[in-house]
Amino acid sequence: MNTENNKKTVLTKKKSIIIISVLAVLLIILALLNTIDFDKIIKDLFYKNDDPVYNYFFYSPDYETDILSDSEYLELDRTVSYTEGAITYRDAELDNYYGTPVIKDYLEAMINGDCEKYKSLFTEEYKSNSKNKIPEVFPQQRVYNISVTRIGEPYMYKADDLDGKYTGIIRYVYSVSYMIQYNTGTVRDDIDSESMRPLVIEVFETPDGKLKINAMEITGNR
């Protein structure tokens, strides 16, 4: 009987040691896990320049089809809505509002696949910034569901603003949204086809009345 009891005692001690060892290992693992910065790991894996990595699907560029003769594209809503303050104008003509004709030119240059016109719409300051990409060539863009919203009031720079860098220039800021059917990624490589990610566009009007895009930033989540 004593032998049997001794065996049971030994087994019980072994089980206790195993349980204690397992608990000790788990506590060590938990302590190690608490020292790991998972937020940093996730950010390093999925973020670059504070922008999440996302794999978009782009269609092959089609330089042959005239989209302005394509019934599938023409059936889409290609009108423009324009908003100033609390007023929204449906089917708006952007030539009718201060600062917006260059936005109209921007949209039309994409729709017409007019690369030279597109390049001409930006200030030298914008072009000189290596972060700003201006495509050398692109096919007609199937732009639709267009909305333009003026942000804030126009502002004329004074001589004591920014050391007089922009004296006499009127600054306009717009939020511009649109979708692209069958997006090729040649102009907008930050949205999928038929999705939307607004742009904030800064427009400069020089004292002689010329309008140019001086800044263009992507907003919203992917």
Side-chain angles (χ1 to χ4, degrees):
M1 290 293 294
N2 289 335
T3 302
E4 190 67 29
N5 287 336
N6 288 339
K7 286 182 179 179
K8 288 181 179 179
T9 301
V10 170
L11 288 173
T12 300
K13 287 182 178 179
K14 285 183 177 179
K15 288 180 180 178
S16 298
I17 291 170
I18 291 171
I19 291 170
I20 291 170
S21 298
V22 170
L23 289 173
V25 170
L26 288 174
L27 287 171
I28 292 169
I29 291 172
L30 287 172
L32 289 172
L33 288 175
N34 285 332
T35 65
I36 298 174
D37 189 346
F38 287 103
D39 288 339
K40 184 177 185 303
I41 292 173
I42 291 170
K43 186 174 181 179
D44 290 342
L45 286 174
F46 297 103
Y47 285 72
K48 184 177 180 182
N49 297 327
D50 297 324
D51 208 6
V53 174
Y54 187 93
N55 293 320
Y56 297 104
F57 172 80
F58 298 124
Y59 289 82
S60 297
D62 178 1
Y63 292 93
E64 302 299 324
T65 302
D66 177 9
I67 66 171
L68 298 177
S69 299
D70 182 357
S71 59
E72 184 181 8
Y73 173 60
L74 296 179
E75 287 174 0
L76 299 174
D77 182 1
R78 297 176 295 112
T79 60
V80 178
S81 70
Y82 176 68
T83 301
E84 276 188 5
I87 302 175
T88 296
Y89 304 91
R90 305 294 179 185
D91 197 7
E93 177 51 66
L94 294 179
D95 283 336
N96 295 334
Y97 313 100
Y98 292 112
T100 56
V102 71
I103 303 296
K104 177 183 179 181
D105 290 341
Y106 163 78
L107 295 167
E108 289 186 346
M110 284 195 296
I111 292 170
N112 293 322
D114 191 338
C115 309
E116 293 305 315
K117 178 67 174 178
Y118 185 91
K119 294 175 191 175
S120 72
L121 301 176
F122 298 89
T123 63
E124 291 304 317
E125 180 177 343
Y126 182 93
K127 293 176 184 177
S128 65
N129 189 334
S130 60
K131 293 182 180 180
N132 297 325
K133 298 178 181 178
I134 298 179
E136 290 296 324
V137 62
F138 56 85
Q140 291 177 295
Q141 303 293 294
R142 297 168 173 263
V143 176
Y144 69 106
N145 275 3
I146 306 163
S147 64
V148 179
T149 301
R150 195 183 74 192
I151 300 174
E153 294 297 321
Y155 178 77
M156 178 180 285
Y157 286 102
K158 303 176 181 62
D160 56 352
D161 292 331
L162 303 174
D163 296 324
K165 182 178 180 181
Y166 302 128
T167 302
I169 288 176
I170 300 174
R171 176 180 184 260
Y172 305 89
V173 180
Y174 302 97
S175 173
V176 179
S177 301
Y178 54 82
M179 293 181 175
I180 302 177
Q181 183 189 40
Y182 305 139
N183 186 20
T184 60
T186 46
V187 178
R188 292 290 301 273
D189 63 359
D190 54 87
I191 54 173
D192 280 314
S193 297
E194 311 194 32
S195 64
M196 185 179 290
R197 199 175 180 204
L199 295 169
V200 172
I201 298 180
E202 177 186 63
V203 172
F204 276 2
E205 181 178 354
T206 57
D208 60 359
K210 291 181 180 178
L211 295 166
K212 296 279 187 177
I213 295 171
N214 191 61
M216 189 160 60
E217 297 289 339
I218 302 163
T219 65
N221 297 323
R222 293 179 187 268

